């Protein structure tokens, strides 16, 4: 089965073609970072308009790269949520229109399920069951995964997601959007131990997260540095390193707890923050103590992309799932509500 995947949940337009027998045939991505950078964050109306502009050219590009005619596409998968409603509607409308025109089924895919399954696109994919850390700008969750659609939420952020905290901390320090890569870049030049940040909610049992207090701690630290006229590039790097270390340590501690609680020794990390090298190294060290393994997608499939949607959609389409012609999207959509296959 050949599935065309469309991703438009936020500020990236992603298109990919996946073949159930041959794997990923082609994929393309257009990022709106430059469009939104001047505003310091995503502007939903601008995101929606740019998806309209980019979608059809990217579809033509992917089909051409895969040497695939429209008559050779068997189904279309699109991101139906969670995400920005206007942006989601662009992808859903395009998918349903093409499905109707080409006489093929369409299926709405859960955005976070796409991220969770992205490591399956690698040469050595994880095997079920495993614990998944879904960590991005909009989500920070620990999930036990026993199969596709067989998800048990173990813990989640009670306020800001980790990626959101990265972006907001970068913004208050005068760094460019998106903040995660900027913090990571600065942290490489930071002096370890100069600043000590808290590891929120690690001094109590449980698997939930909270990053809003950490963001406030970073703000207070930076304001104190500025008031002392100590806000040079080295100080900025030292604060970035202390903040990143606090986030990485917090995520690692909670992942360790989740593995012990479930008795599993395989961990999948997915979402934009999973591209952070410090986080990967910390989790790999921790899994080494367990005699376990950590799995993640290649960097270009950590951020939003069409390949993960095409793959996730293909698995559900092969199981017989498909949607009717109605265009339905979900700003919020609990992943545990998805049917198992």
């Amino acid at each position: 089965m050949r599935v065309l995947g469309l991703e438009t949940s936020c500020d990236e337009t992603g298109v990919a073609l996946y073949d159930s027998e041959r794997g990923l045939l082609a994929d393309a991505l257009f990022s709106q970072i430059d469009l939104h950078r001047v505003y310091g964050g995503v502007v939903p109306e601008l995101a929606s308009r740019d998806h309209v502009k980019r979608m059809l050219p990217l579809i033509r590009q992917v089909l051409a790269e895969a040497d695939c005619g429209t008559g050779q596409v068997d189904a279309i998968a699109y991101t139906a949520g969670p995400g920005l409603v206007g942006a989601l509607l662009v992808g859903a409308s395009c998918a349903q229109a093409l499905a109707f025109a080409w006489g093929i089924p369409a299926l709405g895919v859960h955005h976070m399920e796409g991220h969770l399954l992205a490591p399956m696109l690698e040469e050595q994919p994880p095997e079920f069951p495993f614990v998944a850390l879904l960590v991005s700008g909009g989500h920070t969750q620990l999930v036990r995964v026993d199969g596709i659609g067989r998800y048990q939420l173990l813990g989640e952020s009670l306020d800001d997601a980790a990626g959101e905290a990265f972006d907001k901390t970068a913004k208050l320090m005068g760094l460019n959007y998106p903040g995660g890569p900027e913090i990571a870049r600065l942290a490489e030049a930071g002096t370890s131990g100069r600043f000590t940040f808290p590891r929120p909610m690690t001094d109590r049992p449980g698997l939930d997260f909270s990053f809003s207090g950490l963001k406030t701690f970073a703000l207070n630290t930076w304001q104190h540095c500025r008031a002392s006229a100590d806000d040079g590039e080295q100080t900025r790097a030292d604060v970035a390193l202390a903040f990143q270390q606090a986030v990485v340590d917090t995520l690692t501690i909670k992942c360790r707890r989740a593995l012990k609680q479930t008795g599993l020794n395989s961990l999948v990390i997915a979402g934009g923050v999973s591209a952070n090298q410090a986080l990967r190294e910390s989790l790999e060290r921790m899994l080494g103590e367990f005699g376990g393994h950590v799995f993640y997608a290649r960097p270009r499939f950590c951020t939003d992309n069409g390949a993960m949607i095409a793959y996730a959609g293909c698995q559900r389409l092969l199981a017989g799932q498909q949607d009717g012609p109605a265009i339905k999207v979900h700003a919020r959509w609990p992943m545990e509500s998805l049917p198992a296959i």
Side-chain angles (χ1 to χ4, degrees):
M1 174 180 280
R2 286 186 175 182
V3 179
L4 184 68
L6 310 181
E7 157 61 24
T8 62
S9 66
C10 190
D11 61 338
E12 272 117 3
T13 312
V15 178
L17 187 66
Y18 180 83
D19 188 299
S20 58
E21 296 182 359
R22 297 170 56 196
L24 185 64
L25 302 181
D27 72 282
L29 182 72
F30 183 86
S31 174
Q32 301 175 7
I33 287 177
D34 290 340
L35 175 65
H36 299 288
R37 179 172 285 137
V38 66
Y39 303 101
V42 177
V43 180
E45 176 65 20
L46 295 180
S48 302
R49 290 178 180 272
D50 203 66
H51 286 311
V52 173
K53 179 180 179 181
R54 308 293 177 181
M55 180 58 71
L56 290 179
L58 286 177
I59 291 175
R60 296 190 187 101
Q61 176 185 333
V62 165
L63 293 179
E65 289 180 0
D67 192 23
C68 177
T70 58
Q72 296 173 288
V73 178
D74 299 307
I76 301 179
Y78 62 93
T79 304
L84 302 175
V85 170
L88 292 168
L89 283 171
V90 175
S93 300
C94 183
Q96 290 289 8
L98 291 178
F100 178 80
W102 297 346
I104 58 177
L107 177 68
V109 171
H110 194 288
H111 178 72
M112 296 310 295
E113 181 172 71
H115 274 304
L116 188 152
L117 297 177
M120 298 295 185
L121 294 165
E122 304 303 317
E123 291 186 3
Q124 294 184 322
E127 296 182 358
F128 302 114
F130 54 79
V131 171
L133 172 65
L134 304 177
V135 57
S136 66
H139 300 82
T140 301
Q141 298 178 326
L142 279 167
V143 182
R144 178 185 172 120
V145 181
D146 290 296
I148 297 178
R150 299 172 61 193
Y151 309 130
Q152 178 189 357
L153 180 64
L154 302 174
E156 62 184 339
S157 180
L158 304 179
D159 40 58
D160 290 353
E164 183 181 5
F166 266 107
D167 287 340
K168 290 180 177 178
T169 299
K171 186 175 182 178
L172 67 87
M173 293 173 60
L175 302 177
N176 284 330
Y177 172 85
E182 292 294 310
I183 293 284
R185 177 187 61 80
L186 265 181
E188 293 178 0
T191 303
S192 181
R194 181 180 174 190
F195 298 103
T196 302
F197 281 37
R199 276 56 175 166
M201 295 187 70
T202 58
D203 59 348
R204 68 193 75 176
L207 296 174
D208 288 329
F209 302 90
S210 173
F211 293 105
S212 64
L214 188 60
K215 176 190 64 183
T216 303
F217 193 94
L219 172 61
N220 292 336
T221 301
W222 181 243
Q223 287 179 337
H224 176 76
C225 292
R226 296 192 67 183
S228 305
D230 182 18
D231 57 349
E233 195 64 15
Q234 184 59 53
T235 296
R236 197 189 302 265
D238 295 343
V239 172
L241 176 59
F243 174 81
Q244 177 175 268
Q245 286 178 330
V247 174
V248 168
D249 286 352
T250 299
L251 293 173
T252 302
I253 290 168
K254 293 303 179 86
C255 286
R256 181 195 298 272
R257 288 183 186 176
L259 291 167
K260 286 185 176 180
Q261 178 176 308
T262 59
L264 300 176
N265 65 353
S266 291
L267 177 72
V268 165
I269 55 172
V273 182
S274 70
N276 183 283
Q277 192 61 36
L279 176 61
R280 291 187 176 194
E281 292 173 358
S282 177
L283 292 175
E284 286 172 353
R285 287 194 299 270
M286 185 267 289
L287 263 296
E289 299 172 12
F290 274 78
H293 302 280
V294 59
F295 300 87
Y296 40 76
R298 69 199 82 167
R300 69 190 179 105
F301 292 153
C302 290
T303 56
D304 297 348
N305 63 88
M308 67 182 192
I309 301 303
Y311 177 84
C314 183
Q315 307 313 305
R316 290 191 171 276
L317 285 157
L318 287 171
Q321 294 185 25
Q322 59 179 275
D323 292 336
I327 298 173
K328 296 180 180 179
V329 298
H330 315 274
R332 298 182 182 276
W333 190 5
M335 197 167 64
E336 313 90 85
S337 67
L338 297 176
I341 64 172

